[in-house]
Amino acid sequence: GQNIDQPTEMTATEGAIVQINCTYQTSGFNGLFWYQQHAGEAPTFLSYNVLDGLEEKGRFSSFLSRSKGYSYLLLKELQMKDSASYLCAVNDYKLSFGAGTTVTVRA
Amino acid sequence: EADIYQTPRYLVIGTGKKITLECSQTMGHDKMYWYQQDPGMELHLIHYSYGVNSTEKGDLSSESTVSRIRTEHFPLTLESARPSHTSQYLCASRRGQAEQFFGPGTRLTVL
């Protein structure tokens, strides 16, 4: 089975940095995805980590430690449009999604 | 940009009606998925397919059925809609172990 944990909500100020943690205990593992989902919309792909370490894509970075069953998504220079739900998903031939972390960016 | 389409985008229907939600992708992806998601809640996998003539039930029990007779097409059918089926239905596809692309969703309301 899959057990994926993320914080439910986070609030941050425009221009700040926020780190969303994801811990997982899964029967199989072939990488970890992060998705962004705005209210009422479909999720969109942000990043994919299959090896340990940090992957950077512009203002967003994602980190993975397979031995610790841990990942985080780092959002830098927060903008109002970053207010959304962020979903951690473990890849074990099909994706198992966490419940998502709702990030609210305040002016 | 992902080429995955869902129709209709919005559907309001009466109890007991049979409905089919359409999902098509033009990327030649082998794997396709259906998720159910209530507003502000998590995604629940209800059906998936790894190729033509292959369908499996997902983690969440659903009264719906699916078929996959063409690679690009993965329709979901509810034989008799009930108010408890009111939700958003998201279709997704991927090639192998690559990232998964989602369609825009169908928002279903059963009265």
mmCIF file of all heavy atoms in Angstrom, chain B residues 50-98:
data_model
loop_
_atom_site.group_PDB
_atom_site.id
_atom_site.type_symbol
_atom_site.label_atom_id
_atom_site.label_comp_id
_atom_site.label_asym_id
_atom_site.label_seq_id
_atom_site.Cartn_x
_atom_site.Cartn_y
_atom_site.Cartn_z
ATOM 1 N N TYR B 50 -3.686 0.115 -19.136
ATOM 2 C CA TYR B 50 -2.293 0.106 -19.582
ATOM 3 C C TYR B 50 -2.172 -0.128 -21.089
ATOM 4 O O TYR B 50 -1.065 -0.252 -21.601
ATOM 5 C CB TYR B 50 -1.482 -0.927 -18.810
ATOM 6 C CG TYR B 50 -1.145 -0.518 -17.394
ATOM 7 C CD1 TYR B 50 -0.631 -1.440 -16.477
ATOM 8 C CD2 TYR B 50 -1.338 0.787 -16.954
ATOM 9 C CE1 TYR B 50 -0.308 -1.059 -15.174
ATOM 10 C CE2 TYR B 50 -1.027 1.175 -15.657
ATOM 11 C CZ TYR B 50 -0.511 0.246 -14.777
ATOM 12 O OH TYR B 50 -0.198 0.624 -13.499
ATOM 13 N N GLY B 51 -3.317 -0.243 -21.753
ATOM 14 C CA GLY B 51 -3.288 -0.411 -23.193
ATOM 15 C C GLY B 51 -4.641 -0.878 -23.700
ATOM 16 O O GLY B 51 -5.577 -1.094 -22.909
ATOM 17 N N VAL B 52 -4.735 -1.064 -24.999
ATOM 18 C CA VAL B 52 -5.994 -1.500 -25.600
ATOM 19 C C VAL B 52 -6.456 -2.819 -24.982
ATOM 20 O O VAL B 52 -5.644 -3.722 -24.753
ATOM 21 C CB VAL B 52 -5.817 -1.635 -27.127
ATOM 22 C CG1 VAL B 52 -7.028 -2.298 -27.759
ATOM 23 C CG2 VAL B 52 -5.578 -0.274 -27.748
ATOM 24 N N ASN B 53 -7.738 -2.876 -24.689
ATOM 25 C CA ASN B 53 -8.398 -4.049 -24.099
ATOM 26 C C ASN B 53 -7.933 -4.371 -22.688
ATOM 27 O O ASN B 53 -8.184 -5.468 -22.182
ATOM 28 C CB ASN B 53 -8.237 -5.292 -24.999
ATOM 29 C CG ASN B 53 -8.952 -5.134 -26.322
ATOM 30 O OD1 ASN B 53 -10.016 -4.518 -26.395
ATOM 31 N ND2 ASN B 53 -8.371 -5.650 -27.380
ATOM 32 N N SER B 54 -7.254 -3.444 -22.051
ATOM 33 C CA SER B 54 -6.808 -3.591 -20.667
ATOM 34 C C SER B 54 -7.466 -2.527 -19.812
ATOM 35 O O SER B 54 -7.311 -1.329 -20.081
ATOM 36 C CB SER B 54 -5.289 -3.438 -20.596
ATOM 37 O OG SER B 54 -4.881 -2.939 -19.331
ATOM 38 N N THR B 55 -8.250 -2.944 -18.805
ATOM 39 C CA THR B 55 -8.819 -1.980 -17.848
ATOM 40 C C THR B 55 -8.763 -2.590 -16.454
ATOM 41 O O THR B 55 -8.903 -3.816 -16.303
ATOM 42 C CB THR B 55 -10.286 -1.610 -18.178
ATOM 43 O OG1 THR B 55 -11.098 -2.774 -18.131
ATOM 44 C CG2 THR B 55 -10.400 -0.959 -19.548
ATOM 45 N N GLU B 56 -8.556 -1.722 -15.469
ATOM 46 C CA GLU B 56 -8.474 -2.158 -14.081
ATOM 47 C C GLU B 56 -9.232 -1.172 -13.208
ATOM 48 O O GLU B 56 -9.303 0.018 -13.527
ATOM 49 C CB GLU B 56 -7.019 -2.208 -13.601
ATOM 50 C CG GLU B 56 -6.108 -3.122 -14.381
ATOM 51 C CD GLU B 56 -6.342 -4.584 -14.076
ATOM 52 O OE1 GLU B 56 -7.012 -4.893 -13.058
ATOM 53 O OE2 GLU B 56 -5.870 -5.429 -14.864
ATOM 54 N N LYS B 57 -9.759 -1.658 -12.103
ATOM 55 C CA LYS B 57 -10.385 -0.765 -11.126
ATOM 56 C C LYS B 57 -9.295 -0.115 -10.280
ATOM 57 O O LYS B 57 -8.253 -0.721 -9.998
ATOM 58 C CB LYS B 57 -11.351 -1.549 -10.247
ATOM 59 C CG LYS B 57 -12.622 -1.976 -10.982
ATOM 60 C CD LYS B 57 -13.639 -2.540 -10.035
ATOM 61 C CE LYS B 57 -14.910 -2.945 -10.744
ATOM 62 N NZ LYS B 57 -15.628 -1.789 -11.316
ATOM 63 N N GLY B 58 -9.573 1.103 -9.862
ATOM 64 C CA GLY B 58 -8.600 1.840 -9.071
ATOM 65 C C GLY B 58 -8.776 1.635 -7.584
ATOM 66 O O GLY B 58 -9.372 0.658 -7.133
ATOM 67 N N ASP B 59 -8.267 2.598 -6.821
ATOM 68 C CA ASP B 59 -8.254 2.479 -5.369
ATOM 69 C C ASP B 59 -9.613 2.779 -4.757
ATOM 70 O O ASP B 59 -9.934 2.293 -3.678
ATOM 71 C CB ASP B 59 -7.211 3.438 -4.783
ATOM 72 C CG ASP B 59 -5.854 3.220 -5.416
ATOM 73 O OD1 ASP B 59 -5.482 2.046 -5.637
ATOM 74 O OD2 ASP B 59 -5.170 4.208 -5.703
ATOM 75 N N LEU B 60 -10.409 3.598 -5.438
ATOM 76 C CA LEU B 60 -11.721 3.976 -4.923
ATOM 77 C C LEU B 60 -12.787 3.197 -5.680
ATOM 78 O O LEU B 60 -12.822 3.209 -6.909
ATOM 79 C CB LEU B 60 -11.961 5.478 -5.091
ATOM 80 C CG LEU B 60 -13.311 6.001 -4.581
ATOM 81 C CD1 LEU B 60 -13.359 5.933 -3.062
ATOM 82 C CD2 LEU B 60 -13.550 7.442 -5.056
ATOM 83 N N SER B 61 -13.628 2.503 -4.923
ATOM 84 C CA SER B 61 -14.708 1.752 -5.550
ATOM 85 C C SER B 61 -15.647 2.694 -6.289
ATOM 86 O O SER B 61 -16.008 3.757 -5.770
ATOM 87 C CB SER B 61 -15.478 0.985 -4.474
ATOM 88 O OG SER B 61 -16.595 0.343 -5.034
ATOM 89 N N SER B 62 -16.007 2.333 -7.485
ATOM 90 C CA SER B 62 -16.868 3.185 -8.288
ATOM 91 C C SER B 62 -17.897 2.330 -9.000
ATOM 92 O O SER B 62 -17.629 1.193 -9.377
ATOM 93 C CB SER B 62 -16.036 3.968 -9.310
ATOM 94 O OG SER B 62 -16.875 4.678 -10.191
ATOM 95 N N GLU B 63 -19.087 2.876 -9.190
ATOM 96 C CA GLU B 63 -20.130 2.170 -9.913
ATOM 97 C C GLU B 63 -20.009 2.391 -11.415
ATOM 98 O O GLU B 63 -20.825 1.899 -12.181
ATOM 99 C CB GLU B 63 -21.500 2.606 -9.393
ATOM 100 C CG GLU B 63 -21.727 2.160 -7.949
ATOM 101 C CD GLU B 63 -22.851 2.907 -7.279
ATOM 102 O OE1 GLU B 63 -23.275 3.955 -7.783
ATOM 103 O OE2 GLU B 63 -23.309 2.447 -6.230
ATOM 104 N N SER B 64 -19.008 3.116 -11.845
ATOM 105 C CA SER B 64 -18.816 3.375 -13.261
ATOM 106 C C SER B 64 -18.053 2.233 -13.919
ATOM 107 O O SER B 64 -17.451 1.402 -13.246
ATOM 108 C CB SER B 64 -18.042 4.690 -13.445
ATOM 109 O OG SER B 64 -16.804 4.619 -12.766
ATOM 110 N N THR B 65 -18.102 2.216 -15.250
ATOM 111 C CA THR B 65 -17.329 1.249 -16.034
ATOM 112 C C THR B 65 -16.563 2.002 -17.111
ATOM 113 O O THR B 65 -16.921 3.132 -17.472
ATOM 114 C CB THR B 65 -18.235 0.197 -16.701
ATOM 115 O OG1 THR B 65 -19.175 0.868 -17.556
ATOM 116 C CG2 THR B 65 -18.976 -0.630 -15.666
ATOM 117 N N VAL B 66 -15.507 1.384 -17.624
ATOM 118 C CA VAL B 66 -14.694 1.996 -18.677
ATOM 119 C C VAL B 66 -14.437 0.972 -19.769
ATOM 120 O O VAL B 66 -14.625 -0.231 -19.576
ATOM 121 C CB VAL B 66 -13.347 2.519 -18.144
ATOM 122 C CG1 VAL B 66 -13.549 3.700 -17.204
ATOM 123 C CG2 VAL B 66 -12.576 1.400 -17.434
ATOM 124 N N SER B 67 -13.972 1.471 -20.903
ATOM 125 C CA SER B 67 -13.553 0.600 -22.001
ATOM 126 C C SER B 67 -12.360 1.232 -22.681
ATOM 127 O O SER B 67 -12.166 2.456 -22.618
ATOM 128 C CB SER B 67 -14.699 0.388 -22.993
ATOM 129 O OG SER B 67 -15.066 1.625 -23.589
ATOM 130 N N ARG B 68 -11.554 0.393 -23.332
ATOM 131 C CA ARG B 68 -10.380 0.908 -24.063
ATOM 132 C C ARG B 68 -10.220 0.055 -25.317
ATOM 133 O O ARG B 68 -9.460 -0.905 -25.359
ATOM 134 C CB ARG B 68 -9.135 0.809 -23.181
ATOM 135 C CG ARG B 68 -7.898 1.478 -23.796
ATOM 136 C CD ARG B 68 -7.697 2.852 -23.313
ATOM 137 N NE ARG B 68 -6.581 3.520 -23.934
ATOM 138 C CZ ARG B 68 -5.322 3.465 -23.473
ATOM 139 N NH1 ARG B 68 -5.027 2.729 -22.418
ATOM 140 N NH2 ARG B 68 -4.371 4.142 -24.076
ATOM 141 N N ILE B 69 -10.967 0.403 -26.334
ATOM 142 C CA ILE B 69 -10.893 -0.354 -27.583
ATOM 143 C C ILE B 69 -10.010 0.348 -28.601
ATOM 144 O O ILE B 69 -9.661 -0.241 -29.638
ATOM 145 C CB ILE B 69 -12.288 -0.660 -28.166
ATOM 146 C CG1 ILE B 69 -13.069 0.628 -28.407
ATOM 147 C CG2 ILE B 69 -13.072 -1.572 -27.240
ATOM 148 C CD1 ILE B 69 -14.399 0.392 -29.109
ATOM 149 N N ARG B 70 -9.642 1.607 -28.315
ATOM 150 C CA ARG B 70 -8.681 2.339 -29.140
ATOM 151 C C ARG B 70 -7.689 3.006 -28.205
ATOM 152 O O ARG B 70 -8.050 3.444 -27.113
ATOM 153 C CB ARG B 70 -9.369 3.392 -29.995
ATOM 154 C CG ARG B 70 -10.374 2.855 -30.977
ATOM 155 C CD ARG B 70 -10.672 3.839 -32.105
ATOM 156 N NE ARG B 70 -10.746 5.226 -31.705
ATOM 157 C CZ ARG B 70 -11.877 5.881 -31.468
ATOM 158 N NH1 ARG B 70 -13.021 5.248 -31.550
ATOM 159 N NH2 ARG B 70 -11.859 7.155 -31.153
ATOM 160 N N THR B 71 -6.457 3.113 -28.622
ATOM 161 C CA THR B 71 -5.411 3.702 -27.780
ATOM 162 C C THR B 71 -5.781 5.087 -27.287
ATOM 163 O O THR B 71 -5.538 5.437 -26.145
ATOM 164 C CB THR B 71 -4.085 3.779 -28.558
ATOM 165 O OG1 THR B 71 -3.680 2.469 -28.923
ATOM 166 C CG2 THR B 71 -2.992 4.435 -27.722
ATOM 167 N N GLU B 72 -6.391 5.879 -28.181
ATOM 168 C CA GLU B 72 -6.589 7.288 -27.873
ATOM 169 C C GLU B 72 -7.865 7.585 -27.102
ATOM 170 O O GLU B 72 -8.083 8.712 -26.688
ATOM 171 C CB GLU B 72 -6.582 8.107 -29.172
ATOM 172 C CG GLU B 72 -7.703 7.769 -30.139
ATOM 173 C CD GLU B 72 -7.339 6.640 -31.096
ATOM 174 O OE1 GLU B 72 -6.413 5.855 -30.784
ATOM 175 O OE2 GLU B 72 -7.993 6.546 -32.149
ATOM 176 N N HIS B 73 -8.694 6.589 -26.866
ATOM 177 C CA HIS B 73 -10.036 6.851 -26.351
ATOM 178 C C HIS B 73 -10.310 6.019 -25.093
ATOM 179 O O HIS B 73 -10.094 4.792 -25.109
ATOM 180 C CB HIS B 73 -11.047 6.502 -27.454
ATOM 181 C CG HIS B 73 -12.410 7.028 -27.209
ATOM 182 N ND1 HIS B 73 -13.549 6.349 -27.612
ATOM 183 C CD2 HIS B 73 -12.847 8.154 -26.613
ATOM 184 C CE1 HIS B 73 -14.610 7.043 -27.265
ATOM 185 N NE2 HIS B 73 -14.216 8.139 -26.672
ATOM 186 N N PHE B 74 -10.818 6.656 -24.032
ATOM 187 C CA PHE B 74 -11.022 5.950 -22.761
ATOM 188 C C PHE B 74 -12.293 6.499 -22.099
ATOM 189 O O PHE B 74 -12.239 7.247 -21.123
ATOM 190 C CB PHE B 74 -9.797 6.179 -21.860
ATOM 191 C CG PHE B 74 -9.725 5.314 -20.621
ATOM 192 C CD1 PHE B 74 -10.075 3.973 -20.648
ATOM 193 C CD2 PHE B 74 -9.254 5.854 -19.422
ATOM 194 C CE1 PHE B 74 -9.968 3.191 -19.512
ATOM 195 C CE2 PHE B 74 -9.143 5.080 -18.274
ATOM 196 C CZ PHE B 74 -9.504 3.743 -18.323
ATOM 197 N N PRO B 75 -13.458 6.113 -22.596
ATOM 198 C CA PRO B 75 -14.707 6.655 -22.051
ATOM 199 C C PRO B 75 -15.113 6.002 -20.732
ATOM 200 O O PRO B 75 -14.811 4.827 -20.485
ATOM 201 C CB PRO B 75 -15.735 6.323 -23.148
ATOM 202 C CG PRO B 75 -15.158 5.124 -23.832
ATOM 203 C CD PRO B 75 -13.668 5.271 -23.771
ATOM 204 N N LEU B 76 -15.798 6.768 -19.916
ATOM 205 C CA LEU B 76 -16.304 6.292 -18.625
ATOM 206 C C LEU B 76 -17.826 6.378 -18.654
ATOM 207 O O LEU B 76 -18.374 7.406 -19.051
ATOM 208 C CB LEU B 76 -15.734 7.161 -17.495
ATOM 209 C CG LEU B 76 -16.147 6.819 -16.066
ATOM 210 C CD1 LEU B 76 -14.981 7.069 -15.109
ATOM 211 C CD2 LEU B 76 -17.347 7.644 -15.626
ATOM 212 N N THR B 77 -18.484 5.303 -18.236
ATOM 213 C CA THR B 77 -19.945 5.232 -18.300
ATOM 214 C C THR B 77 -20.546 4.976 -16.922
ATOM 215 O O THR B 77 -20.052 4.143 -16.160
ATOM 216 C CB THR B 77 -20.388 4.104 -19.256
ATOM 217 O OG1 THR B 77 -19.905 4.397 -20.563
ATOM 218 C CG2 THR B 77 -21.913 3.988 -19.300
ATOM 219 N N LEU B 78 -21.598 5.729 -16.637
ATOM 220 C CA LEU B 78 -22.433 5.482 -15.455
ATOM 221 C C LEU B 78 -23.788 5.010 -15.961
ATOM 222 O O LEU B 78 -24.468 5.744 -16.670
ATOM 223 C CB LEU B 78 -22.602 6.760 -14.638
ATOM 224 C CG LEU B 78 -21.523 7.095 -13.611
ATOM 225 C CD1 LEU B 78 -21.678 8.519 -13.127
ATOM 226 C CD2 LEU B 78 -21.607 6.127 -12.442
ATOM 227 N N GLU B 79 -24.184 3.791 -15.624
ATOM 228 C CA GLU B 79 -25.438 3.214 -16.148
ATOM 229 C C GLU B 79 -26.664 3.926 -15.574
ATOM 230 O O GLU B 79 -27.658 4.115 -16.259
ATOM 231 C CB GLU B 79 -25.509 1.727 -15.834
ATOM 232 C CG GLU B 79 -24.528 0.882 -16.618
ATOM 233 C CD GLU B 79 -24.842 0.843 -18.115
ATOM 234 O OE1 GLU B 79 -26.029 0.978 -18.498
ATOM 235 O OE2 GLU B 79 -23.886 0.700 -18.915
ATOM 236 N N SER B 80 -26.574 4.316 -14.304
ATOM 237 C CA SER B 80 -27.718 4.960 -13.659
ATOM 238 C C SER B 80 -27.189 6.003 -12.669
ATOM 239 O O SER B 80 -26.782 5.649 -11.553
ATOM 240 C CB SER B 80 -28.573 3.907 -12.945
ATOM 241 O OG SER B 80 -29.678 4.510 -12.303
ATOM 242 N N ALA B 81 -27.170 7.242 -13.088
ATOM 243 C CA ALA B 81 -26.571 8.298 -12.270
ATOM 244 C C ALA B 81 -27.384 8.558 -10.997
ATOM 245 O O ALA B 81 -28.619 8.482 -11.004
ATOM 246 C CB ALA B 81 -26.452 9.574 -13.085
ATOM 247 N N ARG B 82 -26.648 8.836 -9.917
ATOM 248 C CA ARG B 82 -27.279 9.180 -8.626
ATOM 249 C C ARG B 82 -26.636 10.456 -8.090
ATOM 250 O O ARG B 82 -25.501 10.794 -8.464
ATOM 251 C CB ARG B 82 -27.065 8.053 -7.633
ATOM 252 C CG ARG B 82 -27.723 6.741 -7.996
ATOM 253 C CD ARG B 82 -28.059 5.942 -6.742
ATOM 254 N NE ARG B 82 -26.875 5.710 -5.921
ATOM 255 C CZ ARG B 82 -26.119 4.643 -6.016
ATOM 256 N NH1 ARG B 82 -26.415 3.726 -6.896
ATOM 257 N NH2 ARG B 82 -25.090 4.488 -5.225
ATOM 258 N N PRO B 83 -27.301 11.153 -7.183
ATOM 259 C CA PRO B 83 -26.715 12.380 -6.612
ATOM 260 C C PRO B 83 -25.336 12.152 -5.998
ATOM 261 O O PRO B 83 -24.504 13.062 -6.012
ATOM 262 C CB PRO B 83 -27.747 12.789 -5.559
ATOM 263 C CG PRO B 83 -29.047 12.304 -6.113
ATOM 264 C CD PRO B 83 -28.719 11.000 -6.774
ATOM 265 N N SER B 84 -25.070 10.951 -5.473
ATOM 266 C CA SER B 84 -23.762 10.666 -4.877
ATOM 267 C C SER B 84 -22.646 10.643 -5.929
ATOM 268 O O SER B 84 -21.458 10.678 -5.573
ATOM 269 C CB SER B 84 -23.782 9.324 -4.142
ATOM 270 O OG SER B 84 -24.103 8.272 -5.036
ATOM 271 N N HIS B 85 -23.008 10.610 -7.204
ATOM 272 C CA HIS B 85 -22.012 10.654 -8.282
ATOM 273 C C HIS B 85 -21.597 12.075 -8.637
ATOM 274 O O HIS B 85 -20.685 12.276 -9.441
ATOM 275 C CB HIS B 85 -22.551 9.962 -9.540
ATOM 276 C CG HIS B 85 -22.810 8.501 -9.349
ATOM 277 N ND1 HIS B 85 -23.945 7.876 -9.852
ATOM 278 C CD2 HIS B 85 -22.094 7.537 -8.720
ATOM 279 C CE1 HIS B 85 -23.908 6.592 -9.529
ATOM 280 N NE2 HIS B 85 -22.795 6.365 -8.840
ATOM 281 N N THR B 86 -22.231 13.052 -8.033
ATOM 282 C CA THR B 86 -21.865 14.445 -8.285
ATOM 283 C C THR B 86 -20.429 14.680 -7.860
ATOM 284 O O THR B 86 -20.059 14.453 -6.702
ATOM 285 C CB THR B 86 -22.815 15.389 -7.515
ATOM 286 O OG1 THR B 86 -24.130 15.258 -8.039
ATOM 287 C CG2 THR B 86 -22.360 16.837 -7.640
ATOM 288 N N SER B 87 -19.600 15.135 -8.801
ATOM 289 C CA SER B 87 -18.177 15.302 -8.536
ATOM 290 C C SER B 87 -17.507 15.844 -9.793
ATOM 291 O O SER B 87 -18.156 16.043 -10.828
ATOM 292 C CB SER B 87 -17.548 13.956 -8.154
ATOM 293 O OG SER B 87 -16.218 14.116 -7.685
ATOM 294 N N GLN B 88 -16.189 16.056 -9.701
ATOM 295 C CA GLN B 88 -15.406 16.354 -10.893
ATOM 296 C C GLN B 88 -14.663 15.077 -11.281
ATOM 297 O O GLN B 88 -14.084 14.404 -10.429
ATOM 298 C CB GLN B 88 -14.412 17.476 -10.665
ATOM 299 C CG GLN B 88 -13.444 17.656 -11.843
ATOM 300 C CD GLN B 88 -12.862 19.042 -11.971
ATOM 301 O OE1 GLN B 88 -13.418 19.923 -12.616
ATOM 302 N NE2 GLN B 88 -11.721 19.234 -11.347
ATOM 303 N N TYR B 89 -14.690 14.767 -12.586
ATOM 304 C CA TYR B 89 -14.016 13.584 -13.119
ATOM 305 C C TYR B 89 -12.879 14.044 -14.026
ATOM 306 O O TYR B 89 -13.086 14.764 -14.997
ATOM 307 C CB TYR B 89 -15.008 12.704 -13.874
ATOM 308 C CG TYR B 89 -16.033 12.094 -12.944
ATOM 309 C CD1 TYR B 89 -17.165 12.813 -12.565
ATOM 310 C CD2 TYR B 89 -15.858 10.818 -12.407
ATOM 311 C CE1 TYR B 89 -18.089 12.285 -11.684
ATOM 312 C CE2 TYR B 89 -16.777 10.277 -11.528
ATOM 313 C CZ TYR B 89 -17.887 11.013 -11.164
ATOM 314 O OH TYR B 89 -18.793 10.485 -10.287
ATOM 315 N N LEU B 90 -11.673 13.593 -13.685
ATOM 316 C CA LEU B 90 -10.472 13.989 -14.417
ATOM 317 C C LEU B 90 -9.875 12.777 -15.120
ATOM 318 O O LEU B 90 -9.652 11.748 -14.504
ATOM 319 C CB LEU B 90 -9.429 14.575 -13.463
ATOM 320 C CG LEU B 90 -9.755 15.939 -12.889
ATOM 321 C CD1 LEU B 90 -8.961 16.183 -11.611
ATOM 322 C CD2 LEU B 90 -9.463 17.029 -13.894
ATOM 323 N N CYS B 91 -9.602 12.942 -16.397
ATOM 324 C CA CYS B 91 -8.945 11.908 -17.194
ATOM 325 C C CYS B 91 -7.474 12.280 -17.320
ATOM 326 O O CYS B 91 -7.128 13.483 -17.347
ATOM 327 C CB CYS B 91 -9.608 11.829 -18.566
ATOM 328 S SG CYS B 91 -8.913 10.588 -19.662
ATOM 329 N N ALA B 92 -6.592 11.300 -17.378
ATOM 330 C CA ALA B 92 -5.168 11.568 -17.495
ATOM 331 C C ALA B 92 -4.516 10.499 -18.359
ATOM 332 O O ALA B 92 -5.071 9.394 -18.531
ATOM 333 C CB ALA B 92 -4.506 11.610 -16.120
ATOM 334 N N SER B 93 -3.347 10.808 -18.910
ATOM 335 C CA SER B 93 -2.619 9.819 -19.692
ATOM 336 C C SER B 93 -1.132 10.042 -19.517
ATOM 337 O O SER B 93 -0.681 11.127 -19.136
ATOM 338 C CB SER B 93 -3.016 9.903 -21.175
ATOM 339 O OG SER B 93 -2.481 11.063 -21.782
ATOM 340 N N ARG B 94 -0.367 8.977 -19.796
ATOM 341 C CA ARG B 94 1.085 9.087 -19.741
ATOM 342 C C ARG B 94 1.691 8.016 -20.637
ATOM 343 O O ARG B 94 1.044 6.990 -20.931
ATOM 344 C CB ARG B 94 1.602 8.943 -18.306
ATOM 345 C CG ARG B 94 1.435 7.583 -17.713
ATOM 346 C CD ARG B 94 1.677 7.519 -16.214
ATOM 347 N NE ARG B 94 3.001 7.897 -15.784
ATOM 348 C CZ ARG B 94 3.589 7.392 -14.696
ATOM 349 N NH1 ARG B 94 2.973 6.489 -13.963
ATOM 350 N NH2 ARG B 94 4.780 7.807 -14.335
ATOM 351 N N ARG B 95 2.940 8.246 -21.004
ATOM 352 C CA ARG B 95 3.695 7.240 -21.763
ATOM 353 C C ARG B 95 4.697 6.620 -20.812
ATOM 354 O O ARG B 95 5.533 7.331 -20.249
ATOM 355 C CB ARG B 95 4.426 7.876 -22.941
ATOM 356 C CG ARG B 95 5.116 6.860 -23.842
ATOM 357 C CD ARG B 95 6.050 7.552 -24.830
ATOM 358 N NE ARG B 95 5.390 8.610 -25.562
ATOM 359 C CZ ARG B 95 4.623 8.406 -26.626
ATOM 360 N NH1 ARG B 95 4.416 7.198 -27.079
ATOM 361 N NH2 ARG B 95 4.083 9.443 -27.245
ATOM 362 N N GLY B 96 4.615 5.323 -20.612
ATOM 363 C CA GLY B 96 5.557 4.641 -19.745
ATOM 364 C C GLY B 96 5.553 5.229 -18.342
ATOM 365 O O GLY B 96 4.507 5.323 -17.705
ATOM 366 N N GLN B 97 6.740 5.633 -17.881
ATOM 367 C CA GLN B 97 6.895 6.191 -16.542
ATOM 368 C C GLN B 97 7.091 7.704 -16.574
ATOM 369 O O GLN B 97 7.476 8.297 -15.565
ATOM 370 C CB GLN B 97 8.097 5.534 -15.842
ATOM 371 C CG GLN B 97 7.952 4.035 -15.660
ATOM 372 C CD GLN B 97 6.738 3.694 -14.822
ATOM 373 O OE1 GLN B 97 6.574 4.133 -13.698
ATOM 374 N NE2 GLN B 97 5.816 2.919 -15.413
ATOM 375 N N ALA B 98 6.814 8.320 -17.701
ATOM 376 C CA ALA B 98 6.963 9.773 -17.827
ATOM 377 C C ALA B 98 5.845 10.503 -17.088
ATOM 378 O O ALA B 98 4.949 9.874 -16.522
ATOM 379 C CB ALA B 98 6.971 10.160 -19.303
#
